[in-house]
Amino acid sequence: MLRQFISSLPSKTYVKVQRATAFVRIAFPFGALALAANPAMAQSLKQAGVNIFNVIYGVVGVIGAIACLLTLLNWVTGNWLGRDDPKKIFFQSLLGTALAFGIVAIIQFVKDMVGGSASGISNL
């Protein structure tokens, strides 16, 4: 819809819009880089990353807890979820939750080592 509007403009205006669009496409990444180089902006970006990982941990924890609780109840109350072995389903949900936490922890560890204030892997 926006393209149709832009292409329906007179030719001089259309050329100006195209030039402005090209300028914005080139200038925006440099502006974002300049803002990220600012220490205050870098700190807020780091805090945003920490907040995102806290949310991911929370989501993984809630989903894992619900899955483990449901499969445990299924095991205790007589396998109302289906034909598979209820003990197997319970341990699979425990393993899946542990793997999800492990993957998030590894990603966060790598992020901290690469994006820390010191020089990368020397933080070990």
Side-chain angles (χ1 to χ4, degrees):
M1 186 170 151
L2 184 61
R3 264 182 209 213
Q4 290 175 342
F5 173 73
I6 292 173
S7 62
S8 69
L9 293 172
S11 63
K12 288 184 180 182
T13 309
Y14 178 75
V15 170
K16 288 180 182 178
V17 168
Q18 288 295 335
R19 286 183 186 158
T21 304
F23 175 76
V24 168
R25 285 183 181 168
I26 293 170
F28 181 76
F30 290 112
L33 182 64
L35 284 175
N38 181 359
M41 181 67 172
Q43 184 62 32
S44 59
L45 285 174
K46 182 178 180 182
Q47 187 60 39
V50 169
N51 290 342
I52 289 170
F53 272 101
N54 288 340
V55 169
I56 290 173
Y57 274 125
V59 168
V60 167
V62 167
I63 291 173
I66 290 171
C68 292
L69 181 64
L70 282 176
T71 54
L72 180 64
L73 285 173
N74 178 50
W75 182 13
V76 170
T77 59
N79 195 18
W80 42 266
L81 278 178
R83 297 177 301 176
D84 290 336
D85 182 23
K87 185 180 1 177
K88 178 182 169 187
I89 296 172
F90 173 68
F91 286 117
Q92 284 175 344
S93 67
L94 283 177
L95 179 65
T97 303
L99 285 174
F101 273 119
I103 289 169
V104 172
I106 289 170
I107 292 171
Q108 188 168 13
F109 175 76
V110 169
K111 179 185 72 74
D112 288 343
M113 290 300 109
V114 171
S117 61
S119 62
I121 204 76
S122 66
N123 286 342
L124 293 175

